[in-house]
Amino acid sequence: MGTPVGDLLDALAPVGRDSGTGGYRRFAWTGADAELGEWFAGECAARGLDVVGDRAGNLWAWWGDPDSAPGLVLGSHLDSVPDGGAYDGPLGVVSAIAALDLLREKGFAPRRPLGVAVFRDEEGARFGVACAGSRLLTGTLAAGTALGLRDADGVTMGEAMRSSGHDPGLVGRDEEALRRVGTYLELHVEQGRGLADLGAAVGVGSGIWPHGRWRLDLRGRADHAGTTRLSDRDDPMLVLAEAIQVARGAAAAHGALATIGKVRVLPGAVNAIPSSVTAWLDARGAEPGAVRAVVAAVSGAAGCAAVEESWTPPVAFDADLAARLAGVVGPGGPAPVLATGAGHDAGVLAAAGVPAGMLFVRNPTGVSHSPAEHAEPADCEAGAVALARAVEELA
Ligand code: GLV
Ligand code: MN
Ligand code: MN
């Protein structure tokens, strides 16, 4: 019955895949991104649904007139981190399509418009700000700031949009698109082992930890690796090494998480002491104070102010909605409700006042943001069935 989630994922498997690592490089406003959007439009067209873009370039397909009443929107994103897995994002989009097929086969007629959304640039892999599409939609990221963000090659987001055929002049809070979203429900592969430990295929999100990204600009002096005495060196890499150790220690001390996973070294020569190192810190925790304490410790160790590139306060999903979802999506009783340290567009919409919820699908190892990310086919099917049950409850 329905369209197997695995078949839909298989159709996406070659897009943006790096043959060396096996991971995905699906970055915003690139050819791979456009190809994914075309795939989405094709699947929607095959179901008689048109796709419309909003001012930020997010994609929306509607079953029913979206202006007749605030709709229930399912969705997620299709972009990836560098060498990401196949499920983070796409699972939510393909499950929405699969749920729609299940409901139509059953003859279900939604009482309000039902939408499927693909949010643009959720990972922020190219321009540095996560959930850029939903933040632009809601106006929590200013158009001027976003359009001026540069990728590693110096291309601005505005230029990248223009070369992909999206007019950057359109970008700004989109009242019309927002008005249509009565409730947003995002299914996502779990990015931890919460459900695996509980022995549950599907769970419901309660909230998202506060988290953010900070930049450390470390300056030194370039010099010759073979002739400069150790005592004469001004090597910013040593400062970074210390900052990384401090990040780890402070995270452990405050019950938080801290990661330095991206570094740019200039001039980038094996035989030259670096003139500068730029490093990015990702810090998250259950409490904003714990995250701030980690950032302060790292900043102290780095001897420079950590420049905040993004900050997401704690998100609590609508508790009544979460309880309702937990009551209907579990196959044999209430589904577990759990928080996550991963950011999502659902969190951005919730913070903007849209009732939002999340469903998580078990990830047997918990590994994510890696080619090794996985969810069993049976659990993916259970996720689509759960999403269909949620639609029957809410629409
Ligand atoms: C999004 O995947 C994040 O970084 O939390
Ligand atoms: Mn992700
Ligand atoms: Mn994601």
Side-chain angles (χ1 to χ4, degrees):
M1 282 261 290
T3 312
V5 169
D7 287 2
L8 293 164
L9 282 173
D10 284 351
L12 292 177
V15 185
R17 190 155 198 244
D18 184 89
S19 55
T21 65
Y24 287 98
R25 298 178 159 251
R26 296 165 168 168
F27 306 140
W29 306 112
T30 61
D33 196 24
E35 207 177 320
L36 293 161
E38 280 158 26
W39 167 85
F40 177 65
E43 291 297 326
C44 292
R47 290 161 177 82
L49 309 178
D50 289 336
V51 171
V52 290
D54 65 18
R55 294 177 63 179
N58 305 307
L59 306 176
W60 306 81
W62 286 101
W63 178 14
D65 175 4
D67 295 315
S68 60
L72 169 64
V73 179
L74 315 177
S76 193
H77 62 97
L78 293 174
D79 65 308
S80 77
V81 295
D83 292 332
Y87 300 84
D88 176 359
L91 184 62
V93 177
V94 303
S95 299
I97 294 171
L100 202 123
D101 289 349
L102 285 172
L103 291 164
R104 285 184 161 188
E105 278 182 20
K106 285 174 78 174
F108 175 76
R111 297 179 299 276
R112 56 170 166 155
L114 184 61
V116 181
V118 174
F119 284 98
R120 184 83 62 171
D121 200 3
E122 192 270 354
E123 299 288 6
R126 183 171 177 192
F127 297 103
V129 176
C131 297
S134 55
R135 288 185 207 270
L136 286 170
L137 166 73
T138 54
T140 44
L141 172 62
T145 308
L147 296 176
L149 294 170
R150 288 184 189 276
D151 70 8
D153 297 322
V155 178
T156 66
M157 187 188 284
E159 289 161 353
M161 281 181 180
R162 197 181 294 287
S163 12
S164 295
H166 186 75
D167 178 4
L170 291 173
V171 174
R173 181 178 158 97
D174 192 328
E175 297 295 350
E176 189 190 15
L178 269 176
R179 193 181 336 111
R180 293 172 165 182
V181 190
T183 308
Y184 178 61
L185 182 54
E186 178 164 357
L187 177 146
H188 205 280
V189 66
E190 202 204 341
Q191 296 172 289
R193 287 201 304 269
L195 293 173
D197 289 350
L198 292 167
V202 178
V204 175
S206 58
I208 299 179
W209 280 9
H211 58 281
R213 296 179 182 186
W214 290 263
R215 194 184 71 242
L216 302 170
D217 296 309
L218 308 173
R219 308 263 173 251
R221 195 186 63 248
D223 212 332
H224 197 290
T227 58
T228 315
R229 289 186 194 124
L230 293 178
S231 57
D232 288 343
R233 296 179 181 213
D234 180 5
D235 184 348
M237 202 60 117
L238 290 179
V239 180
L240 176 63
E242 172 66 11
I244 292 169
Q245 293 292 345
V246 166
R248 174 70 182 227
H254 294 282
L257 298 170
T259 306
I260 294 183
K262 180 176 168 181
V263 175
R264 190 182 302 146
V265 182
L266 291 178
V270 178
N271 54 355
I273 296 158
S275 57
S276 74
V277 174
T278 308
W280 283 266
L281 168 71
D282 177 310
R284 313 184 188 213
E287 300 297 332
V291 180
R292 297 288 179 193
V294 170
V295 177
V298 174
S299 188
C304 68
V307 180
E308 188 172 292
E309 295 199 335
S310 67
W311 168 247
T312 303
V315 171
F317 290 122
D318 185 305
D320 292 339
L321 176 60
R324 245 173 115 186
L325 290 169
V328 297
V329 302
V337 180
L338 61 174
T340 179
H344 299 286
D345 296 304
V348 173
L349 293 185
V354 177
M358 289 196 75
L359 299 184
F360 295 125
V361 169
R362 173 167 50 193
N363 176 335
T365 61
V367 170
S368 188
H369 285 186
S370 150
E373 180 183 74
H374 184 66
E376 291 296 333
D379 288 351
C380 295
E381 292 307 327
V385 169
L387 201 52
R389 285 203 192 109
V391 173
E392 287 176 302
E393 169 73 10
L394 303 173

